[in-house]
Amino acid sequence: MAIEIKYVVVKKGEEKMTFATKKEADAYDKMLDMAEAFTNWLAQHQTDMDESQAETLGLLLAKQKDAIQHILRTSKLPDAVDSANSEKKVLAAEESTEGDAAQTKKVCTVKAA
């Protein structure tokens, strides 16, 4: 009999994602916290935006934090090479968690910070 350790990210009583390592789970949890902060900020500053739009945009901003940080530092879009590398990291994170996530709902994935 094999023993497996799984790290489950739970937000507001709902299982969001299962990971094989604590580091990946912590990174995902941090991304969700950031998305919630962006969502709240958008709701305060864009009162005409509905809640689902704010949540979607907040999650996008959190997922793309590296690109946003680059834009804030340089006032330029990240190079296509940087974007491609970032996308590869996200896809690799998806593949590494697909086996574990098959047993739970898969909301989205994020690269480890």
Side-chain angles (χ1 to χ4, degrees), residues 56-106:
T56 301
L57 188 52
L59 190 58
L60 173 67
L61 292 170
K63 284 182 179 179
Q64 298 298 322
K65 74 175 182 132
D66 293 335
I68 292 168
Q69 288 173 342
H70 179 82
I71 292 167
L72 291 172
R73 279 193 313 268
T74 66
S75 298
K76 296 179 184 177
L77 289 174
D79 294 338
V81 173
D82 292 338
S83 298
N85 287 338
S86 179
E87 183 65 24
K88 287 178 185 177
K89 290 177 184 176
V90 170
L91 291 174
E94 283 180 3
E95 289 173 4
S96 70
T97 58
E98 275 183 4
D100 294 335
Q103 296 175 352
T104 62
K105 286 191 244 179
K106 187 171 186 177

Short mmCIF file of all heavy atoms in Angstrom, two decimals, residues 56-106:
data_model
loop_
_atom_site.label_atom_id
_atom_site.label_comp_id
_atom_site.label_asym_id
_atom_site.label_seq_id
_atom_site.Cartn_x
_atom_site.Cartn_y
_atom_site.Cartn_z
N THR A 56 -13.02 38.00 -12.97
CA THR A 56 -12.26 37.51 -14.13
C THR A 56 -11.01 38.34 -14.36
O THR A 56 -9.91 37.81 -14.55
CB THR A 56 -13.15 37.53 -15.40
OG1 THR A 56 -14.29 36.71 -15.17
CG2 THR A 56 -12.39 37.02 -16.61
N LEU A 57 -11.17 39.66 -14.32
CA LEU A 57 -10.03 40.54 -14.52
C LEU A 57 -9.04 40.44 -13.36
O LEU A 57 -7.83 40.43 -13.58
CB LEU A 57 -10.50 41.99 -14.69
CG LEU A 57 -9.46 43.00 -15.09
CD1 LEU A 57 -8.70 42.56 -16.34
CD2 LEU A 57 -10.10 44.35 -15.32
N GLY A 58 -9.53 40.30 -12.13
CA GLY A 58 -8.65 40.14 -10.97
C GLY A 58 -7.81 38.88 -11.08
O GLY A 58 -6.61 38.89 -10.78
N LEU A 59 -8.42 37.80 -11.52
CA LEU A 59 -7.69 36.53 -11.70
C LEU A 59 -6.66 36.65 -12.82
O LEU A 59 -5.52 36.18 -12.68
CB LEU A 59 -8.67 35.40 -11.99
CG LEU A 59 -8.13 33.98 -11.96
CD1 LEU A 59 -7.51 33.66 -10.60
CD2 LEU A 59 -9.23 32.99 -12.26
N LEU A 60 -7.02 37.31 -13.90
CA LEU A 60 -6.07 37.53 -15.00
C LEU A 60 -4.87 38.34 -14.53
O LEU A 60 -3.72 37.99 -14.82
CB LEU A 60 -6.75 38.24 -16.17
CG LEU A 60 -5.83 38.65 -17.31
CD1 LEU A 60 -5.26 37.43 -18.02
CD2 LEU A 60 -6.54 39.56 -18.28
N LEU A 61 -5.12 39.41 -13.80
CA LEU A 61 -4.02 40.24 -13.31
C LEU A 61 -3.11 39.45 -12.37
O LEU A 61 -1.88 39.58 -12.44
CB LEU A 61 -4.57 41.47 -12.58
CG LEU A 61 -5.28 42.50 -13.47
CD1 LEU A 61 -5.98 43.54 -12.60
CD2 LEU A 61 -4.33 43.14 -14.44
N ALA A 62 -3.69 38.63 -11.52
CA ALA A 62 -2.89 37.82 -10.59
C ALA A 62 -2.05 36.79 -11.34
O ALA A 62 -0.89 36.57 -11.02
CB ALA A 62 -3.79 37.14 -9.57
N LYS A 63 -2.64 36.15 -12.35
CA LYS A 63 -1.91 35.15 -13.13
C LYS A 63 -0.77 35.78 -13.92
O LYS A 63 0.27 35.16 -14.12
CB LYS A 63 -2.85 34.46 -14.13
CG LYS A 63 -3.77 33.45 -13.53
CD LYS A 63 -4.60 32.83 -14.63
CE LYS A 63 -5.54 31.80 -14.13
NZ LYS A 63 -6.35 31.23 -15.22
N GLN A 64 -0.95 37.00 -14.35
CA GLN A 64 0.04 37.68 -15.19
C GLN A 64 0.87 38.68 -14.41
O GLN A 64 1.37 39.65 -14.96
CB GLN A 64 -0.68 38.38 -16.35
CG GLN A 64 -1.43 37.44 -17.26
CD GLN A 64 -0.51 36.46 -17.95
OE1 GLN A 64 0.60 36.80 -18.35
NE2 GLN A 64 -0.96 35.23 -18.09
N LYS A 65 1.07 38.41 -13.13
CA LYS A 65 1.77 39.37 -12.26
C LYS A 65 3.18 39.68 -12.75
O LYS A 65 3.63 40.81 -12.65
CB LYS A 65 1.79 38.90 -10.81
CG LYS A 65 2.75 37.76 -10.54
CD LYS A 65 2.81 37.44 -9.08
CE LYS A 65 3.80 36.32 -8.90
NZ LYS A 65 4.73 36.54 -7.87
N ASP A 66 3.88 38.72 -13.32
CA ASP A 66 5.23 38.97 -13.81
C ASP A 66 5.21 39.98 -14.96
O ASP A 66 6.04 40.90 -15.02
CB ASP A 66 5.91 37.68 -14.25
CG ASP A 66 6.19 36.75 -13.09
OD1 ASP A 66 6.31 37.23 -11.94
OD2 ASP A 66 6.29 35.53 -13.32
N ALA A 67 4.27 39.82 -15.88
CA ALA A 67 4.16 40.75 -17.00
C ALA A 67 3.77 42.13 -16.50
O ALA A 67 4.30 43.15 -16.96
CB ALA A 67 3.14 40.24 -18.02
N ILE A 68 2.87 42.19 -15.54
CA ILE A 68 2.43 43.47 -14.97
C ILE A 68 3.60 44.17 -14.27
O ILE A 68 3.81 45.37 -14.44
CB ILE A 68 1.24 43.27 -14.03
CG1 ILE A 68 0.02 42.85 -14.84
CG2 ILE A 68 0.95 44.54 -13.22
CD1 ILE A 68 -1.13 42.34 -14.02
N GLN A 69 4.37 43.41 -13.51
CA GLN A 69 5.53 43.99 -12.83
C GLN A 69 6.53 44.54 -13.85
O GLN A 69 7.11 45.61 -13.66
CB GLN A 69 6.20 42.96 -11.93
CG GLN A 69 5.39 42.65 -10.70
CD GLN A 69 5.97 41.50 -9.88
OE1 GLN A 69 6.77 40.71 -10.38
NE2 GLN A 69 5.55 41.39 -8.64
N HIS A 70 6.73 43.80 -14.94
CA HIS A 70 7.64 44.25 -15.99
C HIS A 70 7.14 45.57 -16.60
O HIS A 70 7.92 46.51 -16.79
CB HIS A 70 7.77 43.18 -17.09
CG HIS A 70 8.66 43.59 -18.22
ND1 HIS A 70 10.02 43.47 -18.15
CD2 HIS A 70 8.38 44.14 -19.43
CE1 HIS A 70 10.55 43.91 -19.27
NE2 HIS A 70 9.57 44.33 -20.07
N ILE A 71 5.85 45.64 -16.89
CA ILE A 71 5.27 46.86 -17.46
C ILE A 71 5.41 48.03 -16.49
O ILE A 71 5.77 49.14 -16.88
CB ILE A 71 3.80 46.63 -17.85
CG1 ILE A 71 3.71 45.64 -19.02
CG2 ILE A 71 3.12 47.96 -18.21
CD1 ILE A 71 2.31 45.12 -19.28
N LEU A 72 5.16 47.80 -15.21
CA LEU A 72 5.28 48.87 -14.21
C LEU A 72 6.72 49.36 -14.07
O LEU A 72 6.96 50.55 -13.86
CB LEU A 72 4.74 48.40 -12.86
CG LEU A 72 3.23 48.17 -12.79
CD1 LEU A 72 2.86 47.52 -11.47
CD2 LEU A 72 2.47 49.48 -12.97
N ARG A 73 7.68 48.43 -14.16
CA ARG A 73 9.09 48.81 -14.03
C ARG A 73 9.61 49.55 -15.26
O ARG A 73 10.37 50.50 -15.16
CB ARG A 73 9.96 47.58 -13.80
CG ARG A 73 9.99 47.07 -12.39
CD ARG A 73 11.11 46.05 -12.19
NE ARG A 73 11.18 45.03 -13.23
CZ ARG A 73 10.57 43.85 -13.19
NH1 ARG A 73 9.85 43.52 -12.14
NH2 ARG A 73 10.69 43.00 -14.18
N THR A 74 9.21 49.07 -16.46
CA THR A 74 9.83 49.56 -17.68
C THR A 74 8.91 50.39 -18.57
O THR A 74 9.38 50.99 -19.53
CB THR A 74 10.34 48.37 -18.53
OG1 THR A 74 9.21 47.61 -18.97
CG2 THR A 74 11.30 47.50 -17.75
N SER A 75 7.63 50.39 -18.31
CA SER A 75 6.62 51.04 -19.16
C SER A 75 6.60 50.45 -20.57
O SER A 75 6.25 51.12 -21.54
CB SER A 75 6.85 52.55 -19.24
OG SER A 75 6.73 53.12 -17.96
N LYS A 76 7.01 49.19 -20.68
CA LYS A 76 7.02 48.48 -21.96
C LYS A 76 6.43 47.10 -21.78
O LYS A 76 6.50 46.52 -20.70
CB LYS A 76 8.45 48.34 -22.50
CG LYS A 76 9.10 49.67 -22.82
CD LYS A 76 10.51 49.45 -23.31
CE LYS A 76 11.18 50.80 -23.53
NZ LYS A 76 12.58 50.63 -23.95
N LEU A 77 5.89 46.57 -22.87
CA LEU A 77 5.40 45.20 -22.84
C LEU A 77 6.56 44.24 -22.72
O LEU A 77 7.64 44.51 -23.26
CB LEU A 77 4.61 44.88 -24.11
CG LEU A 77 3.26 45.55 -24.27
CD1 LEU A 77 2.68 45.24 -25.64
CD2 LEU A 77 2.30 45.11 -23.19
N PRO A 78 6.36 43.10 -22.06
CA PRO A 78 7.42 42.09 -22.00
C PRO A 78 7.70 41.56 -23.40
O PRO A 78 6.84 41.55 -24.27
CB PRO A 78 6.84 40.99 -21.12
CG PRO A 78 5.65 41.55 -20.48
CD PRO A 78 5.19 42.71 -21.30
N ASP A 79 8.94 41.13 -23.62
CA ASP A 79 9.31 40.54 -24.90
C ASP A 79 8.48 39.29 -25.15
O ASP A 79 8.04 38.62 -24.23
CB ASP A 79 10.79 40.15 -24.92
CG ASP A 79 11.69 41.36 -24.85
OD1 ASP A 79 11.23 42.47 -25.20
OD2 ASP A 79 12.84 41.21 -24.43
N ALA A 80 8.32 38.95 -26.41
CA ALA A 80 7.60 37.74 -26.78
C ALA A 80 8.28 36.51 -26.21
O ALA A 80 7.63 35.54 -25.83
CB ALA A 80 7.48 37.63 -28.29
N VAL A 81 9.61 36.54 -26.09
CA VAL A 81 10.36 35.41 -25.54
C VAL A 81 9.98 35.22 -24.06
O VAL A 81 9.75 34.11 -23.61
CB VAL A 81 11.88 35.64 -25.68
CG1 VAL A 81 12.66 34.56 -24.96
CG2 VAL A 81 12.26 35.71 -27.14
N ASP A 82 9.91 36.33 -23.31
CA ASP A 82 9.52 36.24 -21.90
C ASP A 82 8.11 35.68 -21.76
O ASP A 82 7.84 34.86 -20.90
CB ASP A 82 9.58 37.62 -21.24
CG ASP A 82 11.01 38.14 -21.11
OD1 ASP A 82 11.95 37.32 -21.15
OD2 ASP A 82 11.15 39.37 -20.99
N SER A 83 7.20 36.13 -22.63
CA SER A 83 5.83 35.64 -22.59
C SER A 83 5.76 34.16 -22.91
O SER A 83 5.02 33.42 -22.29
CB SER A 83 4.96 36.43 -23.56
OG SER A 83 4.92 37.79 -23.21
N ALA A 84 6.55 33.72 -23.90
CA ALA A 84 6.56 32.31 -24.28
C ALA A 84 7.10 31.46 -23.14
O ALA A 84 6.57 30.39 -22.84
CB ALA A 84 7.39 32.10 -25.54
N ASN A 85 8.17 31.93 -22.48
CA ASN A 85 8.72 31.19 -21.34
C ASN A 85 7.72 31.12 -20.20
O ASN A 85 7.59 30.09 -19.55
CB ASN A 85 10.03 31.83 -20.87
CG ASN A 85 11.17 31.59 -21.83
OD1 ASN A 85 11.13 30.65 -22.61
ND2 ASN A 85 12.17 32.44 -21.79
N SER A 86 7.03 32.21 -19.96
CA SER A 86 6.02 32.24 -18.90
C SER A 86 4.90 31.25 -19.21
O SER A 86 4.45 30.52 -18.34
CB SER A 86 5.45 33.65 -18.76
OG SER A 86 4.47 33.67 -17.76
N GLU A 87 4.46 31.21 -20.47
CA GLU A 87 3.41 30.28 -20.88
C GLU A 87 3.88 28.83 -20.72
O GLU A 87 3.12 27.97 -20.28
CB GLU A 87 3.01 30.55 -22.33
CG GLU A 87 1.88 29.68 -22.83
CD GLU A 87 0.55 29.92 -22.12
OE1 GLU A 87 0.35 31.01 -21.58
OE2 GLU A 87 -0.27 28.99 -22.12
N LYS A 88 5.14 28.55 -21.04
CA LYS A 88 5.68 27.19 -20.88
C LYS A 88 5.67 26.78 -19.41
O LYS A 88 5.36 25.65 -19.08
CB LYS A 88 7.10 27.10 -21.44
CG LYS A 88 7.16 27.11 -22.95
CD LYS A 88 8.59 27.06 -23.44
CE LYS A 88 8.66 27.18 -24.94
NZ LYS A 88 10.04 27.21 -25.41
N LYS A 89 6.01 27.71 -18.53
CA LYS A 89 6.01 27.41 -17.09
C LYS A 89 4.59 27.10 -16.61
O LYS A 89 4.38 26.19 -15.82
CB LYS A 89 6.58 28.57 -16.30
CG LYS A 89 8.07 28.75 -16.49
CD LYS A 89 8.58 29.95 -15.73
CE LYS A 89 10.06 30.19 -15.99
NZ LYS A 89 10.54 31.41 -15.33
N VAL A 90 3.60 27.86 -17.10
CA VAL A 90 2.21 27.62 -16.71
C VAL A 90 1.77 26.25 -17.22
O VAL A 90 1.14 25.48 -16.48
CB VAL A 90 1.28 28.74 -17.25
CG1 VAL A 90 -0.17 28.37 -17.07
CG2 VAL A 90 1.59 30.05 -16.55
N LEU A 91 2.10 25.93 -18.46
CA LEU A 91 1.73 24.62 -19.01
C LEU A 91 2.40 23.48 -18.26
O LEU A 91 1.79 22.45 -18.01
CB LEU A 91 2.07 24.55 -20.50
CG LEU A 91 1.24 25.44 -21.43
CD1 LEU A 91 1.79 25.39 -22.85
CD2 LEU A 91 -0.22 25.04 -21.40
N ALA A 92 3.66 23.67 -17.89
CA ALA A 92 4.36 22.64 -17.12
C ALA A 92 3.70 22.44 -15.76
O ALA A 92 3.56 21.32 -15.28
CB ALA A 92 5.83 23.02 -16.95
N ALA A 93 3.27 23.52 -15.13
CA ALA A 93 2.59 23.42 -13.84
C ALA A 93 1.26 22.69 -14.00
O ALA A 93 0.89 21.87 -13.16
CB ALA A 93 2.36 24.81 -13.25
N GLU A 94 0.56 22.96 -15.12
CA GLU A 94 -0.70 22.26 -15.38
C GLU A 94 -0.46 20.76 -15.53
O GLU A 94 -1.18 19.95 -14.96
CB GLU A 94 -1.35 22.79 -16.66
CG GLU A 94 -2.03 24.12 -16.51
CD GLU A 94 -2.65 24.58 -17.81
OE1 GLU A 94 -2.59 23.84 -18.82
OE2 GLU A 94 -3.19 25.69 -17.81
N GLU A 95 0.55 20.40 -16.30
CA GLU A 95 0.84 18.98 -16.53
C GLU A 95 1.24 18.28 -15.25
O GLU A 95 0.85 17.14 -15.01
CB GLU A 95 1.94 18.84 -17.58
CG GLU A 95 1.50 19.21 -18.97
CD GLU A 95 2.64 19.23 -19.97
OE1 GLU A 95 3.77 18.87 -19.59
OE2 GLU A 95 2.40 19.60 -21.12
N SER A 96 1.99 18.95 -14.40
CA SER A 96 2.45 18.31 -13.17
C SER A 96 1.33 18.10 -12.17
O SER A 96 1.40 17.22 -11.33
CB SER A 96 3.57 19.12 -12.52
OG SER A 96 3.08 20.31 -11.98
N THR A 97 0.27 18.89 -12.28
CA THR A 97 -0.82 18.77 -11.32
C THR A 97 -2.05 18.08 -11.89
O THR A 97 -2.99 17.81 -11.17
CB THR A 97 -1.25 20.15 -10.79
OG1 THR A 97 -1.64 20.96 -11.89
CG2 THR A 97 -0.13 20.80 -10.00
N GLU A 98 -2.04 17.75 -13.20
CA GLU A 98 -3.21 17.14 -13.82
C GLU A 98 -3.59 15.82 -13.15
O GLU A 98 -4.76 15.56 -12.92
CB GLU A 98 -3.00 16.94 -15.31
CG GLU A 98 -3.33 18.16 -16.12
CD GLU A 98 -3.19 17.93 -17.60
OE1 GLU A 98 -2.90 16.79 -18.03
OE2 GLU A 98 -3.36 18.90 -18.34
N GLY A 99 -2.63 15.00 -12.85
CA GLY A 99 -2.93 13.71 -12.22
C GLY A 99 -3.59 13.89 -10.88
O GLY A 99 -4.57 13.23 -10.55
N ASP A 100 -3.08 14.82 -10.08
CA ASP A 100 -3.65 15.07 -8.77
C ASP A 100 -4.99 15.79 -8.88
O ASP A 100 -5.91 15.55 -8.10
CB ASP A 100 -2.71 15.93 -7.92
CG ASP A 100 -1.44 15.20 -7.58
OD1 ASP A 100 -1.47 13.94 -7.58
OD2 ASP A 100 -0.41 15.85 -7.34
N ALA A 101 -5.12 16.67 -9.85
CA ALA A 101 -6.32 17.47 -9.98
C ALA A 101 -7.49 16.67 -10.56
O ALA A 101 -8.62 17.10 -10.49
CB ALA A 101 -6.06 18.68 -10.86
N ALA A 102 -7.22 15.51 -11.12
CA ALA A 102 -8.29 14.71 -11.71
C ALA A 102 -9.33 14.32 -10.66
O ALA A 102 -10.49 14.13 -10.98
CB ALA A 102 -7.71 13.46 -12.37
N GLN A 103 -8.92 14.22 -9.42
CA GLN A 103 -9.84 13.83 -8.37
C GLN A 103 -10.59 15.02 -7.78
O GLN A 103 -11.57 14.83 -7.08
CB GLN A 103 -9.07 13.13 -7.24
CG GLN A 103 -8.45 11.83 -7.70
CD GLN A 103 -7.60 11.21 -6.62
OE1 GLN A 103 -7.35 11.81 -5.59
NE2 GLN A 103 -7.16 10.00 -6.85
N THR A 104 -10.17 16.24 -8.07
CA THR A 104 -10.85 17.43 -7.56
C THR A 104 -11.14 18.37 -8.71
O THR A 104 -10.66 18.18 -9.81
CB THR A 104 -9.98 18.17 -6.52
OG1 THR A 104 -8.79 18.60 -7.18
CG2 THR A 104 -9.68 17.30 -5.34
N LYS A 105 -11.94 19.41 -8.44
CA LYS A 105 -12.23 20.40 -9.45
C LYS A 105 -10.99 21.18 -9.80
O LYS A 105 -10.24 21.57 -8.93
CB LYS A 105 -13.29 21.38 -8.96
CG LYS A 105 -14.66 20.81 -8.92
CD LYS A 105 -15.63 21.93 -8.67
CE LYS A 105 -16.31 21.72 -7.37
NZ LYS A 105 -17.24 22.74 -7.01
N LYS A 106 -10.79 21.39 -11.07
CA LYS A 106 -9.64 22.17 -11.52
C LYS A 106 -10.13 23.56 -11.90
O LYS A 106 -10.89 23.72 -12.84
CB LYS A 106 -8.96 21.49 -12.72
CG LYS A 106 -7.70 22.15 -13.12
CD LYS A 106 -6.98 21.31 -14.14
CE LYS A 106 -5.62 21.90 -14.44
NZ LYS A 106 -4.89 21.08 -15.37
#
